[in-house]
Amino acid sequence: MKKIFFILQRVEECKYSFDRLPQNILKHCSELYKDNKLTTSLFAYSLLDELLNKFDRSVNEVYFSNNGKPLIENGYISISHSDNYVSVSYSKINHGIDIEIKNKNRDINRIFRKYFKDSYLEDDSKSEKEEKFYSLWVEKEANVKLNDLNVLSTNNNVSDFKYLNIFNEDETDIYLCIVNDEECEYIRL
């Protein structure tokens, strides 16, 4: 079985100089993000470079699809960030990765109605709604990345979801999903 390799790290642990990143990545990130999100995005590509170096590859090989998906010849990469966490992945098989940090201020009912059938949440308790929302959302986002789609272009029906719920030392809920053409793969960190 081919493996998907990934790193999950806090932005505060960033030890990289962004001036090492190639111009196409600097331009791509600066067109999408400003301020803290720009820093987080640049950190993601620095972290991706660290991961790719383990396979004698480099972030200098990265280019972008028309939808903005990062691509690399003879391999697949995926990037996700949420709040102060970044995750990057590399594999010989196509895949998508997504992470979400549970946010108590997020209006999950509004988002759920927009992207999913609201009947999923009808009779659920608040904690069950949160669990369903984050689980479905990370799988939806990972599938969007797998298939190089726009999140609005995907339908509301999501397959049986699988996810990894990580409880780290500061008790932040991190939901992480990696999907590929064959299955979801979860690795406990």
Side-chain angles (χ1 to χ4, degrees), residues 31-92:
E31 288 174 352
L32 293 175
Y33 303 109
K34 301 292 180 228
D35 304 323
N36 288 346
K37 286 194 174 200
L38 175 59
T39 301
T40 301
S41 183
L42 293 172
F43 171 57
Y45 283 97
S46 295
L47 196 59
L48 179 63
D49 194 40
E50 180 181 319
L51 178 60
L52 290 173
N53 286 329
K54 294 179 185 301
F55 301 94
D56 296 321
R57 307 289 307 260
S58 167
V59 76
N60 291 316
E61 301 173 55
V62 173
Y63 61 100
F64 300 95
S65 74
N66 291 338
N67 288 333
K69 178 180 179 174
L71 302 169
I72 193 166
E73 292 290 326
N74 301 314
Y76 297 92
I77 54 179
S78 191
I79 296 173
S80 183
H81 38 82
S82 180
D83 291 339
N84 61 339
Y85 284 88
V86 172
S87 188
V88 297
S89 57
Y90 171 74
S91 181
K92 292 291 186 180

Side-chain angles (χ1 to χ4, degrees), residues 140-154:
K140 182 177 185 80
E141 285 276 333
N143 275 299
V144 163
K145 293 172 185 178
L146 168 74
N147 296 300
D148 194 14
L149 301 171
N150 179 302
V151 71
L152 296 174
S153 70
T154 60

